[in-house]
Amino acid sequence: MGSGKRSLTTTAMVLACACAVLSAPGVAYASPTPAPTRTPTPTPTTPPTGKDLEAIRKKLDALYHDAAVATDAYNAAEEQAKQQSAEIVDLARVIVKGQDKLDELKDRAGAAARAQYRGGGLPPEMRLWLSDNPQQYLDGAGRVLQGEHATKGLLAEMTRTQQDLQQYAKDASAQWQKLEANRQAKATAQKEIKKQIAAAEKLESQLEKKEKERLAKLEEEAAYKAQTAWLSSGVLAEISGKASEQGKKAVKFATDQIGKPYEWGAEGPGSYDCSGLTSQAWAAAGHGIPRTSQEQWKQLPHVDVKDMRPGDLIIYFDDASHVAMYIGDGAIVHAPRPGRTVTIAGAGSMPILGVVRPDA
């Protein structure tokens, strides 16, 4: 009875955890109260030179790159948390069913014990001697023996069910711990994203309008230079793959999102981050793929750049922190970074890590 009570207690705890997972809103993290600061005395400043602006451009690239890495970590933790929440709920349902089964087995075992008690009392040889019909007694004894075998089987099944319930409870507890760890990982990544974006926005806010225009021009020139170098290698002449039917649907979905803003952690329909756009495009094409750019790189089949076709995904940077969809003619559609919108760009405008094909 002690283990039964413990099982019931564990079940109640797991169900409470599962309900909390289903009903709890997203974890809120209070923003720290900014410390009061003294307004500095204005000092004359000189406009940044071309060299200074180039350094600012590189610094912004680094900040937004770090934000993208943190966004991938956030998205991965979010996906794992969703999966673990679902597994906890499934385990809770299994535990409820198992507990119902255990209660039924206990009722049956109790009924069998009571029946055997009522049929017992005298030793078997005495009951045989007193019986008017030895054959009838022997037949009854056989039925009693069968009943004893059945009772033993019932008790064995009760033991197995109790052991299963204990294991399910352990599994649920382990999943709950993982869920809490991923919630903490999400919170850490969220803070890092906001930190990097805030630093980039602060850096940009210090520029005058003309300087921002010059900076934008520098960004365009850097992208154009990288794209030109990529095309000058002759790679485009080797790329002749045609899109699959699913690839065409994915490309259409992605290009239909052009103009919508980038937002970290977003999967549409109003805004996207880079892997949110590619994963939703392929989901719309009827083919689910991993949520993050790093998992897309790890899990999807790799193809050579020269063999890529529209709908394939190009993974960028050594840490696979950015992803775009190839749409043909040396171009991609992607959600670039905070402050930008979904747009078309040159496939070689960023350092290519490799290409993956969702519907290989």
Side-chain angles (χ1 to χ4, degrees):
M1 289 297 290
S3 63
K5 288 181 180 178
R6 286 194 297 272
S7 298
L8 285 170
T9 302
T10 304
T11 303
M13 291 174 63
V14 172
L15 285 172
C17 292
C19 292
V21 170
L22 286 176
S23 61
V27 179
Y29 300 95
S31 300
T33 304
T37 56
R38 290 180 297 176
T39 305
T41 305
T43 55
T45 58
T46 56
T49 64
K51 229 179 238 188
D52 292 337
L53 279 175
E54 178 60 19
I56 289 172
R57 182 190 71 79
K58 289 181 179 178
K59 177 64 175 174
L60 286 171
D61 282 349
L63 288 170
Y64 283 123
H65 172 268
D66 290 345
V69 173
T71 298
D72 227 35
Y74 175 90
N75 290 335
E78 172 73 7
E79 285 299 292
Q80 290 170 352
K82 286 179 183 176
Q83 180 181 350
Q84 283 148 6
S85 297
E87 288 177 0
I88 287 171
V89 173
D90 288 342
L91 282 167
R93 288 173 180 155
V94 171
I95 288 172
V96 169
K97 288 181 181 178
Q99 190 63 56
D100 289 344
K101 179 182 177 182
L102 184 60
D103 291 342
E104 180 188 350
L105 289 171
K106 285 180 178 178
D107 288 343
R108 287 167 57 191
R114 288 191 296 273
Q116 286 182 357
Y117 177 78
R118 286 193 299 269
L122 292 173
E125 62 273 12
M126 184 63 72
R127 279 184 280 145
L128 175 59
W129 182 68
L130 293 173
S131 174
D132 293 332
N133 189 335
Q135 185 59 49
Q136 184 179 4
Y137 167 78
L138 291 174
D139 291 340
R143 285 193 295 273
V144 170
L145 188 60
Q146 290 174 353
E148 289 176 351
H149 284 309
T151 301
K152 286 181 181 178
L154 196 61
L155 293 173
E157 189 174 359
M158 281 176 58
T159 301
R160 286 194 301 270
T161 302
Q162 286 175 323
Q163 290 171 344
D164 288 344
L165 284 172
Q166 290 171 357
Q167 185 59 51
Y168 292 146
K170 286 181 182 177
D171 292 344
S173 177
Q175 288 297 334
W176 184 259
Q177 290 174 1
K178 288 179 183 178
L179 175 62
E180 287 303 306
N182 277 310
R183 282 179 170 168
Q184 291 177 13
K186 266 178 58 180
T188 301
Q190 185 177 24
K191 289 178 182 177
E192 182 64 19
I193 293 165
K194 290 182 176 181
K195 172 186 168 185
Q196 299 298 336
I197 292 175
E201 289 175 344
K202 181 180 178 181
L203 185 59
E204 288 183 292
S205 70
Q206 295 169 351
L207 300 175
E208 301 292 337
K209 182 180 178 182
K210 286 185 178 179
E211 292 163 355
K212 289 178 180 178
E213 291 172 354
R214 287 167 58 201
L215 180 63
K217 189 70 175 173
L218 283 175
E219 290 176 353
E220 290 176 8
E221 288 173 357
Y224 178 78
K225 184 178 179 181
Q227 174 72 353
T228 301
W230 184 67
L231 292 175
S232 66
S233 68
V235 65
L236 194 57
E238 298 179 350
I239 301 173
S240 59
K242 293 183 178 180
S244 64
E245 287 305 311
Q246 281 188 315
K248 289 177 184 176
K249 292 177 182 177
V251 168
K252 183 180 186 311
F253 179 94
T255 52
D256 283 347
Q257 312 313 309
I258 289 174
K260 293 183 179 180
Y262 176 102
E263 181 182 356
W264 61 267
E267 299 177 84
S271 57
Y272 297 88
D273 63 20
C274 67
S275 57
L277 177 65
T278 54
S279 60
Q280 288 302 305
W282 272 100
H287 192 92
I289 63 173
R291 169 64 176 88
T292 69
S293 58
Q294 292 178 347
E295 288 305 309
Q296 288 170 7
W297 174 242
K298 287 178 186 176
Q299 296 186 35
L300 298 178
H302 293 200
V303 297
D304 289 336
V305 172
K306 64 182 178 59
D307 296 326
M308 69 180 174
R309 64 192 188 193
D312 287 348
L313 306 181
I314 303 180
I315 309 296
Y316 292 97
F317 304 108
D318 289 342
D319 53 8
S321 57
H322 189 69
V323 60
M325 180 176 292
Y326 184 64
I327 59 174
D329 296 326
I332 56 169
V333 59
H334 71 145
R337 65 169 176 81
R340 299 288 190 265
T341 61
V342 176
T343 188
I344 291 176
S349 58
M350 296 169 284
I352 295 175
L353 175 62
V355 180
V356 295
R357 178 164 296 163
D359 61 339

